[in-house]
Amino acid sequence: MATKTATKSVPKTKLSPLKKNSNGVLPHKIVSIDSKKLKDMENVFSLQKKKALELRHSTTKQRIKKLKSLKDLIFKYQPEIREALRADFNKSETETDLSEILPSIAECRDAIRHLKYWMKPVRANTPITLFGAVSEIHYEPRGTVLIIAPWNYPFHLAFAPIVGAIAAGNTVILKPSEYTPHTSALTKKMLAELFPEEEVAVFEGDHTVSTALTDLPFDHIFFTGSTNVGKIIMERASKHLTSVTLELGGKSPAIITDGADIKKAAHSILWGKFLNAGQTCVAPDYLLIPESKVDDFVEQAKKTVKKFFGSETEDKSSSKDFCRIVNARNFERVSGYIKEAVIKGAKIELGGEVDASQNFIAPTILSKIPKDSKIMEDEIFGPVLPIITYKNLDEAIDFVNSKPKPLALYIFTKDEKKINKILKSTSSGGAVINDLIIHLANSHLPFGGVNHSGHGSYHGFFGFKQFSHERSVLKQSPVSAIKMMYPPYNNLAKKLVDITTKYLA
Ligand code: NAD
């Protein structure tokens, strides 16, 4: 980029960052939705509304059968899924297996194994004031749900919520991303093979399709995508008071403390940063590190990148294991961040080469970041790691707290006291100590954000729960103390209220 000369096969490119609209959303290519498609959506929606009533009665056995078929379908289409992701943004076969197919299969397996327990009503305590009554929580399907998926893990982030929705007994309309057309078309074909559209339907297209869909009174919307679009979805859902799950992004920090193993930390951080070319919601967005450790980190980082993708730009751009930025719009956005930071005085420690013809941005590390750089405002969502230095841990904590609550926070340290201090002083959707991203591979942990990084969570039981309504059911006993407190309020009623209040004191 600005300070590094790109090699012959990686020509320099002119960069002009796109201007955002008033919602903070980058402009899209406007494709208006035709009236036939609109009618089709409305028809499918009303068919699904009817089907949803029928599915309320579906048994554990019936739902498990569907989940097993879904799992088999993923195995059957594994070669096509790999091809689609390679065609969409040069994603490597192994990375597709690791980050799209494996977690989708794991999600199905978990639901198949545990659905019997998840669906059981849960007995709740009953207070002494309601003596004799029996209290339970019943998990009932929400009904007809809309799932809007992003492009960055286009297969897994469409299938994982579908597993939760089917396990919970809902009908589903999926709107996959327009930026990964091969994977989206394949997803539609696969789901149509298994489900009638009155149960699961897919509508492809851009934001105009989401807009038309969010006009319909869904029972729940599960949205995965950017924070700015999440705000639009929440606003649109409010029209029908539709409940929403928002799986959003944000700037997830990685903090290295004094005394940490820098070599191990560099290895993990760069794996997490360059996986999917940084286009991962839980990728470490930026690094906070003591000033005295920067040189050591950069040295280890260079060795790590060489090991992962090679040392020359040609090695990295021809590596089958390093994918591309999904499209020109995002290429311009990310390379614009590097350009702007460098113009303002940032130092390129590693990488910096770009090739617009391939949407290629080399694994890049920047230091000496000016405070007012855009790269420290927006979620980067690309293979660029800015290094921010700190003098003492409080300074690092203040830096994290000066930004909206992130989706993940990573701590690299050997010091238990520092772990506790950071965890207690900050907030994030999830946190990992001495590693990255792997928390989402544990389906016994809820995965989701907090405030700016999202509302609600899923994976495993939490996905089933997210797509269910927790209905409170209280069965009254024939003899009830509460009935003695009905009007007219005689002395006995007064005494009973008095005794109960004193008992609770
Ligand atoms: P995006 O918000 O641009 O798009 C997501 C979906 O919303 C797409 O299907 C798109 O067609 C639709 N959409 C776009 N604009 C819309 C509008 N104005 N109205 C209605 N629908 C609209 O996100 P993206 O670029 O596809 O994905 C990247 C973002 O998603 C990043 O911010 C990342 O952090 C986040 N993400 C979060 C998670 C998570 O689990 N928390 C996972 C992956 C990605």
Side-chain angles (χ1 to χ4, degrees), residues 62-243:
Q62 287 165 333
R63 294 188 200 176
I64 287 179
K65 196 173 164 210
K66 285 177 202 168
L67 292 167
K68 280 186 176 161
S69 311
L70 197 61
K71 181 157 76 76
D72 294 344
L73 189 77
I74 300 173
F75 277 119
K76 179 180 158 192
Y77 276 94
Q78 187 165 9
E80 284 91 334
I81 300 167
R82 290 171 176 161
E83 272 169 36
L85 278 141
R86 178 69 83 185
D88 279 332
F89 57 115
N90 193 40
K91 188 154 173 163
S92 93
E93 243 178 45
T94 313
E95 218 164 276
T96 295
D97 286 354
L98 175 73
S99 64
E100 308 266 5
I101 292 173
L102 191 152
S104 304
I105 300 275
E107 198 67 21
C108 288
R109 186 172 182 266
D110 202 39
I112 292 164
R113 292 182 81 180
H114 300 115
L115 190 61
K116 201 169 122 192
Y117 307 103
W118 297 348
M119 280 175 73
K120 279 197 174 140
V122 177
R123 194 69 174 256
N125 286 338
T126 304
I128 189 89
T129 43
L130 300 174
F131 180 77
V134 175
S135 310
E136 281 180 347
I137 300 165
H138 290 199
Y139 293 100
E140 61 171 32
R142 286 190 183 269
T144 298
V145 303
L146 171 64
I147 295 174
I148 301 177
W151 56 264
N152 63 327
Y153 289 87
F155 183 79
H156 176 58
L157 295 176
F159 269 74
I162 285 179
V163 171
I166 288 172
N170 298 282
T171 64
V172 181
I173 291 183
L174 167 72
K175 208 300 276 170
S177 175
E178 67 276 29
Y179 293 143
T180 42
H182 296 89
T183 312
S184 296
L186 180 64
T187 302
K188 185 178 169 104
K189 181 181 156 193
M190 287 171 68
L191 290 169
E193 191 172 310
L194 212 59
F195 296 101
E197 60 179 7
E198 60 179 8
E199 198 167 339
V200 178
V202 179
F203 285 99
E204 291 175 275
D206 65 3
H207 65 292
T208 56
V209 175
S210 317
T211 303
L213 285 168
T214 48
D215 267 342
L216 300 169
F218 278 93
D219 296 302
H220 190 75
I221 298 177
F222 187 102
F223 170 81
T224 307
S226 60
T227 299
N228 285 328
V229 177
K231 288 181 193 170
I232 296 172
I233 299 292
M234 198 164 173
E235 203 178 315
R236 294 188 68 79
S238 71
K239 199 171 103 187
H240 299 295
L241 289 176
T242 297
S243 52

Side-chain angles (χ1 to χ4, degrees), residues 422-444:
I422 297 171
L423 288 179
K424 285 224 161 97
S425 321
T426 61
S427 176
S428 63
V432 184
I433 322 298
N434 291 323
D435 213 329
L436 297 123
I437 299 177
I438 51 167
H439 58 309
L440 56 77
N442 182 356
S443 64
H444 301 287

